[in-house]
């Protein structure tokens, strides 16, 4: 700033006025100061200015690198944070970089609040974080923890998917479990309840998995191996999420299984990749933009004291029917297993 002031022939205080866009400098002086600053590559350090006032006005966001739905959430977080006058700092979890390290990086950069996208951490650890700083979880409910949470009504979404498949005539419906992934326990319970409600308990089957493409690939290989040994394929698979569904689809189509003629597949999330596939994935849609807006508002309102206690937002999911679901194969109708 001193260099700009010297070259412009004005005081450092006047340069500060220009960069704070405050009155007190003539248009000619303002233009000269900005031109010289541009010539020497000077940019005001807004972070340092905010910290000098005791605030960073920065929201930290923890996300997973290979999770497409997290990318959709991040895309929604930025405009809402900007609208409310906050910056966003991202920190990713990846192989060899766990959630704890990602969160500590955000706190080390003086983020005032953290938004956790689909955290896998133990409830006690999330609660402890909530006592250290304002914390919002997205996609996962953590009962009794001191955090705000935003998620969809998981059970309702699974019920919609199951009603769709049963109405098409499916009976052999398998669920690929999401393991410890966010929402997995609720989705698993809802699948079991739906199978019982429709009198399909003898066909109930939960295959262990997680929220990755590899989980879908491995399930596909398992089902194909069982078919080769005389066990018929299920007529439909409800995957734990879209990534898992995509891995399953890749394995099945490579083996010559026609989707949905031979087997229907339903995902969960409606990430941006789900409708870029050649036939489009039938999936349960979570409104990423609305979830992001709630998460940012919850964090900001806690920071600014307008909502002193944590809150929970439960949003409605919606089944989006595309090309991967259809009636079961001929001869596999209701009552004919």
């Amino acid at each position: 700033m001193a260099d700009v002031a010297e070259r412009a022939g004005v005081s450092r205080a006047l340069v500060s006025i220009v960069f704070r866009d405050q009155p007190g400098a003539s248009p000619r002086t303002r233009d000269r100061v900005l031109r010289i600053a541009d010539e020497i590559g000077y940019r005001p350090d807004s972070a340092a200015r905010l910290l000098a006032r005791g605030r960073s006005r920065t929201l930290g966001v923890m996300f997973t690198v290979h999770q497409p739905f997290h990318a959709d959430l991040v895309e929604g977080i930025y405009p809402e944070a900007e609208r409310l006058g906050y910056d966003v700092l991202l920190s990713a979890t990846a192989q060899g970089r766990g959630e704890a390290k990602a969160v500590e990086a955000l706190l080390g950069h003086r983020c005032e609040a953290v938004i956790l996208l689909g955290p896998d951490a133990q409830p006690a650890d999330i609660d402890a974080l909530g006592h250290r700083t304002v914390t919002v979880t997205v996609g996962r409910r953590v009962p009794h923890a001191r955090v705000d949470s935003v998620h969809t009504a998981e059970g309702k979404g699974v019920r919609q998917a199951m009603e769709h498949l049963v109405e098409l005539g499916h009976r052999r419906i398998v669920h690929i479990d999401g393991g410890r992934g966010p929402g997995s326990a609720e989705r698993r319970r809802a699948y079991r309840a739906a199978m019982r409600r429709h009198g399909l308990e003898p066909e109930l089957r939960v295959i262990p998995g997680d929220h990755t493409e590899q989980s879908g690939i491995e399930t596909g290989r398992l089902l194909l191996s069982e078919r080769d040994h005389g066990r018929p394929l299920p007529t439909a698979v409800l995957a734990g999420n879209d990534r898992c569904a995509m891995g399953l689809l890749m394995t099945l189509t490579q083996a010559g299984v026609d989707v949905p003629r031979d087997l229907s597949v339903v995902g969960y999330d409606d990430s941006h990749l789900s409708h870029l596939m050649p036939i489009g994935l039938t999936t349960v849609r979570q409104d990423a933009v609305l979830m992001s807006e709630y998460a940012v508002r919850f964090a900001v309102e806690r920071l600014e004291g307008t909502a002193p206690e944590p809150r929970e937002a439960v949003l409605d999911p919606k089944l989006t029917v595309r090309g991967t679901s259809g009636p079961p194969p001929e001869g596999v109708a209701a009552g004919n297993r």
Side-chain angles (χ1 to χ4, degrees):
M1 193 179 292
D3 292 340
V4 174
E6 181 179 356
R7 292 188 58 173
V10 300
S11 69
R12 180 169 173 167
L14 191 58
V15 172
S16 177
I17 285 173
V18 170
F19 279 110
R20 286 185 287 115
D21 199 24
Q22 298 294 314
S26 69
R28 183 177 179 180
T29 298
R30 186 179 300 275
D31 290 344
R32 185 167 73 255
V33 167
L34 293 175
R35 176 175 52 79
I36 290 171
D38 187 58
E39 287 174 358
I40 68 174
Y42 172 73
R43 295 292 182 274
D45 191 339
S46 57
R49 186 168 65 246
L50 287 168
L51 287 173
R53 299 175 185 171
R55 295 287 306 274
S56 72
R57 294 191 72 84
T58 301
L59 305 177
V61 179
M62 184 203 78
F63 71 107
T64 301
V65 170
H66 296 298
Q67 176 54 272
F69 189 64
H70 288 188
D72 297 344
L73 290 168
V74 167
E75 193 171 22
I77 284 171
Y78 272 107
E80 185 66 5
E82 184 176 349
R83 185 183 73 82
L84 295 174
Y86 282 74
D87 288 330
V88 174
L89 183 66
L90 303 179
S91 185
T93 65
Q95 189 171 5
R97 191 173 195 262
E99 292 186 3
K101 185 175 289 187
V103 168
E104 287 303 320
L106 295 172
L107 297 177
H109 283 84
R110 304 195 186 188
C111 293
E112 293 188 336
V114 291
I115 299 174
L116 311 177
L117 305 186
D120 286 334
Q122 294 295 327
D125 294 331
I126 294 176
D127 181 51
L129 178 62
H131 281 83
R132 289 177 64 191
T133 189
V134 171
T135 304
V136 184
T137 63
V138 180
R140 179 182 175 188
R141 181 174 179 266
V142 188
H144 312 303
R146 188 170 176 74
V147 298
D148 294 86
S149 65
V150 182
H151 60 94
T152 56
E154 309 282 354
K156 185 174 183 178
V158 169
R159 285 193 296 273
Q160 291 177 14
M162 293 296 291
E163 291 294 333
H164 170 65
L165 292 172
V166 170
E167 287 175 4
L168 287 171
H170 292 278
R171 296 295 178 266
R172 292 201 305 272
I173 306 170
V174 167
H175 176 52
I176 307 175
D177 187 25
R180 290 181 51 210
S184 296
E186 293 87 349
R187 295 172 197 179
R188 181 169 58 248
R189 284 194 295 267
Y191 161 77
R192 292 180 181 276
M195 291 293 281
R196 288 192 293 267
R197 185 170 61 254
H198 290 289
L200 302 176
E201 195 162 10
E203 304 289 352
L204 188 155
R205 186 182 183 191
V206 177
I207 297 177
D210 56 38
H211 286 173
T212 65
E213 293 86 356
Q214 188 61 35
S215 176
I217 291 170
E218 291 173 359
T219 297
R221 291 171 177 167
L222 172 66
L223 296 176
L224 292 169
S225 175
E226 292 177 346
R227 182 193 62 177
D228 293 342
H229 288 84
R231 182 173 185 172
L233 288 173
T235 63
V237 175
L238 173 64
N241 72 343
D242 288 352
R243 291 180 65 192
C244 179
M246 291 173 190
L248 175 66
L249 285 168
M250 182 181 72
T251 303
L252 293 176
T253 53
Q254 287 177 346
V257 176
D258 187 292
V259 176
R261 188 189 65 190
D262 299 328
L263 186 152
S264 291
V265 176
V266 178
Y268 203 109
D269 281 343
D270 196 25
S271 60
H272 64 276
L273 294 180
S274 64
H275 41 87
L276 298 179
M277 301 171 58
I279 58 175
L281 177 66
T282 295
T283 183
V284 178
R285 181 174 186 266
Q286 301 192 85
D287 190 330
V289 172
L290 190 57
M291 294 174 78
S292 300
E293 290 174 351
Y294 267 103
V296 172
R297 287 202 298 269
F298 278 1
V300 169
E301 289 168 6
R302 288 277 305 284
L303 288 171
E304 298 184 355
T306 58
E309 294 300 318
R311 293 165 294 170
E312 178 181 10
V314 184
L315 309 182
D316 281 336
K318 183 179 180 180
L319 180 69
T320 301
V321 178
R322 297 193 182 97
T324 60
S325 60
E330 291 185 15
V332 187
N336 182 5
R337 300 176 188 172

